Amino acid sequence: MARSAVVIGGGIAGLTTAYRLSTARPAIDVTLLEAGPRLGGKIKTTPFAGVPIDEGADAFLTRVPWAIELCRELGLDDSFIAPATGSAFIVTKGKLRPIPDKTVLGVPTSLRSLAKSGVVSPLGMARAGLDLIRPDNWPGHDESVAELIARRLGPEIAERLVDPLVSGIMASDTQNLSAQIVTPQLAEATRKNRSLIRALREQRKLAAAATPGAPVFYSFEGGVGVLVERLARAIPDVDVRMSTSATQLEQTSDGYAVHAGAETFGADIVVIAAPANAVAPLLREHAADAAAELASIEYASVALVTVAFSSKSVRHSTEGSGFLVPRGEGMLMTACSWGHRKWPHWTGSDEDKLIFRISTGRFGDERALHLDDDELVESLLDELGPLLDIHGPVLEWRVSRWPKSFPQYPPGHGSTVSRIEADVARSLPGVNLAGASYRGVGIPACIRSANEAAARAIDHLSTLPA
Ligand SMILES: Cc1cc2nc3c(=O)[nH]c(=O)nc-3n(C[C@H](O)[C@H](O)[C@H](O)COP(=O)(O)OP(=O)(O)OC[C@H]3O[C@@H](n4cnc5c(N)ncnc54)[C@H](O)[C@@H]3O)c2cc1C
């Protein structure tokens, strides 16, 4: 008897799950329900100034295997492109300064490059150096990223270097981010060696020896959307229902019924790959504790504004991949990526064009939500102008809004997720969760969570009567 599955959510996690289930042997009949009118979720590549440019994610990390492995299976590994430049800047007291060389998530491993960058004060430098001699002070529990960095290298490194970088990845505040889940390499390093700098130097050496000169990020000429398109093509047998929002999950005598408006889809197994705030109402009736914890996961809203200028209008050099803005600078923008340098094909055949992707919004800062598109662009350009010495009109612009897009992982988030998973496994055997709300927001982590959810769901099938 053919088994059936319903996958809820058509972002990267849902698509990967559908791919894994539909290519499993023996075959499973898979239905994928997507609430919106398109697949991809937070991955969306659309034309800007005539070239496909990402509105959300623009690359994925190569240092973890899950995205690379999936791309290889889909025959995409000969289409990888890497950012053309790695060096970046940070705003310090209103000026752009280079991020010191040899940093790991903003943590300097060379005190000499830290001194040269001018990002921290002489006192901040001296405090960072104390890391080499201070005794071990690990508190023995999951701490925030800010606490970890401040206790080893002092508050200046935490606020001026690590927070803009790590908070930028999560649209958050490192004071409220679990070191264990968000920066596991830092959490592990601080447990291995009392000196964080020494442990990270060792990690860098090992990584360089394992993959010498390998790029840290990959994308495709057509943007990250290429991965979504290829995955969608790799699931021809999946019944994909667009604009179909799952509204209720019902346990039946022979499995599950997923209700979506007037339609009902029966299934032996269900994988829910929608954000936690959309999952909570589906589980409330069956797994009240899990539903309450899912509903308590908070989200940050962000917006990305893409702008094009003539190179004649911008006097400041844009050699590098862009810059980050520490929270303490009080600006609306959180980062600006120099897209024409990072991804040179973004300018098409027009070499005179410069393309910037300006990010705004982080947890606790919703100013962008209260501005309409014109006001938002104007306010961001008012900040960008003096930093890059811009003396000319913006040629084109586009606003991409991502409300409630970044789940927040406070210290203890790992234990919360374990409790949620245990309650769901107990109350709803055969139902699994996947996606960015749990153990990593990056594309590779979402793919990993989908691989694991699909594998658990397939295992469950073997426990069912024939
Ligand atoms: C602006 C931005 C930039 C980013 N940059 C990067 C980057 O460069 N690199 C990187 O690795 N990561 C990046 N990320 C993070 C990454 O893109 C996301 O975490 C990831 O794509 C989330 O995938 P997902 O499948 O878990 O969820 P989503 O993409 O959110 O997909 C979930 C899907 O479920 C659907 N859904 C919701 N409720 C229901 C329902 N009831 N029924 C049916 N469907 C439903 C939604 O419509 C959505 O399509 C970025 C994110 C954003 C917002």
Side-chain angles (χ1 to χ4, degrees):
M1 182 177 65
R3 296 298 190 181
S4 57
V6 168
V7 177
I8 301 173
I12 189 67
L15 283 167
T16 305
T17 308
Y19 171 66
R20 296 280 173 232
L21 295 177
S22 66
T23 52
R25 289 286 165 259
I28 301 166
D29 291 335
V30 182
T31 303
L32 181 131
L33 309 181
E34 166 51 50
R38 61 170 189 88
L39 294 172
K42 309 293 179 325
I43 300 175
K44 184 180 182 192
T45 311
T46 55
F48 176 78
V51 179
I53 292 187
D54 298 296
E55 294 201 40
D58 72 335
F60 52 83
L61 197 60
T62 63
R63 296 260 160 93
V64 286
W66 309 289
I68 305 260
E69 281 168 6
L70 178 64
C71 290
R72 240 177 238 140
E73 283 176 53
L74 297 170
L76 279 173
D77 47 333
D78 53 2
S79 313
F80 287 143
I81 57 167
T85 166
S87 61
F89 296 80
I90 196 148
V91 177
T92 306
K93 300 195 175 120
K95 293 259 172 323
L96 294 186
R97 299 193 187 267
I99 292 183
D101 288 341
K102 301 180 185 162
T103 56
V104 177
L105 290 167
V107 181
T109 61
S110 159
L111 293 176
R112 200 175 303 150
S113 346
L114 178 64
K116 235 170 68 190
S117 74
V119 172
V120 293
S121 69
L123 206 63
M125 271 292 308
R127 174 62 187 85
L130 282 181
D131 169 70
L132 298 168
I133 50 173
R134 283 192 98 184
D136 184 12
N137 56 357
W138 183 49
H141 57 79
D142 185 17
E143 56 191 327
S144 74
V145 178
E147 275 169 299
L148 186 160
I149 302 302
R151 80 176 160 76
R152 290 309 315 170
L153 294 119
E156 269 196 57
I157 300 286
E159 285 158 27
R160 294 205 191 165
L161 273 168
V162 178
D163 186 71
L165 217 103
V166 175
S167 294
I169 300 167
M170 298 288 294
S172 185
D173 177 345
T174 44
Q175 305 264 12
N176 198 33
L177 283 180
S178 153
Q180 188 59 55
I181 289 213
V182 178
T183 57
Q185 62 276 60
L186 302 185
E188 194 189 317
T190 185
R191 284 200 297 271
K192 275 203 175 138
N193 192 320
R194 66 183 168 78
S195 160
L196 186 57
I197 294 178
R198 286 212 174 90
L200 292 179
R201 279 181 190 155
E202 197 51 39
Q203 263 186 21
R204 276 177 57 89
K205 246 192 257 159
L206 291 175
T211 47
V216 178
F217 292 101
Y218 275 146
S219 183
F220 307 99
E221 281 266 332
V224 187
V226 166
L227 174 56
V228 171
E229 281 162 31
R230 188 61 72 93
L231 262 176
R233 266 194 275 145
I235 51 169
D237 298 330
V238 172
D239 180 8
V240 178
R241 302 294 185 99
M242 306 301 301
S243 304
T244 304
S245 183
T247 45
Q248 196 196 338
L249 177 67
E250 186 191 347
Q251 226 165 347
T252 60
S253 55
D254 55 353
Y256 293 95
V258 179
H259 299 277
E263 290 190 280
T264 298
F265 303 88
D268 297 301
I269 48 178
V270 177
V271 175
I272 313 182
N277 50 10
V279 182
L282 296 174
L283 299 189
R284 203 158 284 144
E285 228 179 87
H286 317 280
D289 292 345
E293 295 217 86
L294 283 160
S296 74
I297 295 177
E298 297 190 279
Y299 286 80
S301 298
V302 302
L304 275 183
V305 174
T306 311
V307 290
F309 281 97
S310 158
S311 62
K312 293 180 198 73
S313 307
V314 181
R315 297 195 189 139
H316 195 287
S317 154
T318 55
E319 286 296 331
S321 60
F323 63 84
L324 300 164
V325 185
R327 190 177 284 266
E329 294 288 321
M331 291 167 68
L332 180 62
M333 105 172 53
T334 53
C336 174
S337 165
W338 298 339
H340 55 283
R341 290 278 178 213
K342 195 172 167 193
W343 309 113
H345 65 281
W346 278 10
T347 56
S349 52
D350 185 355
E351 284 175 11
D352 173 55
K353 202 161 47 186
L354 305 186
I355 297 197
F356 302 117
R357 263 191 6 151
I358 309 168
S359 305
T360 179
R362 40 166 69 115
F363 191 64
D365 177 2
E366 302 219 319
R367 284 175 289 170
L369 291 183
H370 306 297
L371 299 173
D372 68 25
D373 286 359
D374 288 334
E375 290 166 338
L376 180 61
V377 174
E378 200 180 320
S379 308
L380 290 170
L381 291 183
D382 281 350
E383 292 185 345
L384 191 67
L387 283 170
L388 295 185
D389 203 1
I390 297 178
H391 288 84
V394 61
L395 303 177
E396 262 178 82
W397 58 266
R398 165 177 90 183
V399 176
S400 310
R401 292 185 185 265
W402 296 103
K404 295 201 181 303
S405 50
F406 279 94
Q408 299 297 300
Y409 294 178
H413 178 77
S415 313
T416 306
V417 172
S418 299
R419 283 194 301 275
I420 291 171
E421 287 171 341
D423 191 21
V424 173
R426 211 172 29 245
S427 317
L428 295 164
V431 173
N432 283 279
L433 308 179
S437 303
Y438 309 108
R439 299 185 193 277
V441 299
I443 291 167
C446 293
I447 292 171
R448 178 195 201 182
S449 79
N451 292 344
E452 293 176 356
R456 285 195 300 270
I458 292 169
D459 281 350
H460 176 75
L461 289 178
S462 63
T463 67
L464 300 179

